């Protein structure tokens, strides 16, 4: 991607974020947090798409994501017990920071289809992704 295209894409993103903040007024913080979460996750997803990954690594990441989502759904009735965090941390340690971020972000996105999506979903994706990234 050339420099002019990157600058134009950045300008469009900033215009959308600024326009949303001006348009929504009292809910501008929600718009800002949601936009930031989507932007951060989008950057990691785009970077992963360009990376040369083997089918085994992709399959392992898919299984870890499925385990994490299943753990969140099964143990939902128990308060303050989320085994998905442990799976995300182990994935970040074993598979590396980038795949740890992706597994954390996808866990929040996929499991929220069961628990309902909302304005909190991009924030959850960003935070759980950062847990996998920092592990």
């Amino acid at each position: 991607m050339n420099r002019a295209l990157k600058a134009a894409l950045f300008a469009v993103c900033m215009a959308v974020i600024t326009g949303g903040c001006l348009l929504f007024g009292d809910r501008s913080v929600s718009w800002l947090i949601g936009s930031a979460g989507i932007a951060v996750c989008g950057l990691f997803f785009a970077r992963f798409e360009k990376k040369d990954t083997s089918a085994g690594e992709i399959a392992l990441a898919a299984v870890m994501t499925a385990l994490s989502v299943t753990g969140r759904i099964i143990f939902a009735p128990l308060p303050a017990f989320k085994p998905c965090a442990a799976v995300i941390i182990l994935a970040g340690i074993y598979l590396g920071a980038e795949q740890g971020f992706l597994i954390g972000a996808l866990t929040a996105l996929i499991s929220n289809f069961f628990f309902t999506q909302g304005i909190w979903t991009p924030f959850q994706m960003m935070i759980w992704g950062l847990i996998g990234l920092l592990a």
Side-chain angles (χ1 to χ4, degrees):
M1 195 182 296
N2 63 17
R3 183 174 258 176
L5 185 59
K6 286 182 182 180
L9 185 61
F10 179 75
V12 167
C13 288
M14 294 311 293
V16 168
I17 291 172
T18 305
C21 288
L22 294 174
L23 180 68
F24 292 117
D26 60 337
R27 295 182 307 252
S28 63
V29 173
S30 297
W31 177 264
L32 186 63
I33 290 172
S35 300
I38 291 170
V40 167
C41 292
L43 287 173
F44 272 93
F45 291 152
R47 183 171 174 191
F48 182 75
E49 283 294 322
K50 290 186 179 204
K51 188 176 159 186
D52 187 28
T53 351
S54 69
E57 290 176 13
I58 293 173
L60 186 57
V63 168
M64 296 293 277
T65 302
L67 283 173
S68 183
V69 169
T70 305
R72 183 174 184 213
I73 292 171
I74 288 174
F75 291 102
L78 298 176
F81 183 70
K82 303 289 182 252
C84 59
V87 173
I88 293 167
I89 291 169
L90 289 173
I93 292 169
Y94 181 70
L95 299 174
E98 191 171 275
Q99 286 205 3
F101 182 91
L102 291 172
I103 290 170
L106 288 174
T107 296
L109 179 67
I110 295 168
S111 64
N112 277 350
F113 282 111
F114 181 78
F115 294 113
T116 68
Q117 301 286 346
I119 189 66
W120 56 85
T121 301
F123 181 70
Q124 280 182 330
M125 290 174 67
M126 187 172 57
I127 295 303
W128 282 5
L130 287 175
I131 289 172
L133 179 80
L134 296 175

